[in-house]
Amino acid sequence: MHDLDWPGSYGQENDPPCPPDPSETPRPRRKSGALMLSEDEARHVRVAVRKLRRAFGSFNALAARLDMPANTVRRIANPKGTPPTGTFAIRLAAVAGVAVEVLLGGKLVVTTPIIGRAA
């Protein structure tokens, strides 16, 4: 005959959870210093975000091209908001169609297309 206690109750994930050990609590993660921009580069990226917003019509249109939430793009464009990262600068340069160095150097020139004229 089979034992009614088989398999045992251990390992069945029905034990109450153990309280977390204070020495094992995870520390908050910090952003990598390699992807942080200098103050000048961050300022240039913010200016580029505002220029591209005007070129595309709205933060929503720019955010759709960046594949990001519009509120995130708005926070990055705000001088007192979240500082832009290197990853964001790379994505923004890809949307603008320029090199990242041009974007970080502050030499981005955005022209609106003229409708009805050949380029």
Side-chain angles (χ1 to χ4, degrees):
M1 293 189 66
H2 294 291
D3 188 6
L4 296 176
D5 289 334
W6 184 85
S9 62
Y10 55 87
Q12 300 296 316
E13 298 180 7
N14 55 3
D15 295 333
C18 298
D21 187 10
S23 64
E24 295 179 8
T25 55
R27 293 186 209 142
R29 293 175 56 185
R30 294 175 36 181
K31 292 181 181 176
S32 171
L35 293 177
M36 301 304 287
L37 301 176
S38 68
E39 289 181 24
D40 288 338
E41 291 172 339
R43 189 178 75 245
H44 296 313
V45 169
R46 285 187 167 122
V47 168
V49 169
R50 290 192 293 269
K51 285 181 179 180
L52 289 172
R53 176 194 51 96
R54 274 185 252 122
F56 290 129
S58 67
F59 278 117
N60 292 336
L62 178 60
R65 291 182 187 232
L66 287 169
D67 195 29
M68 299 177 75
N71 285 335
T72 303
V73 179
R74 282 188 190 95
R75 277 197 317 264
I76 290 174
N78 185 1
K80 295 181 182 178
T82 306
T85 61
T87 307
F88 180 79
I90 292 169
R91 293 173 89 173
L92 191 65
V95 167
V98 298
V100 180
E101 293 80 13
V102 172
L103 186 75
L104 296 179
K107 300 190 180 359
L108 179 69
V109 177
V110 178
T111 59
T112 57
I114 299 173
I115 299 174
R117 292 184 91 183

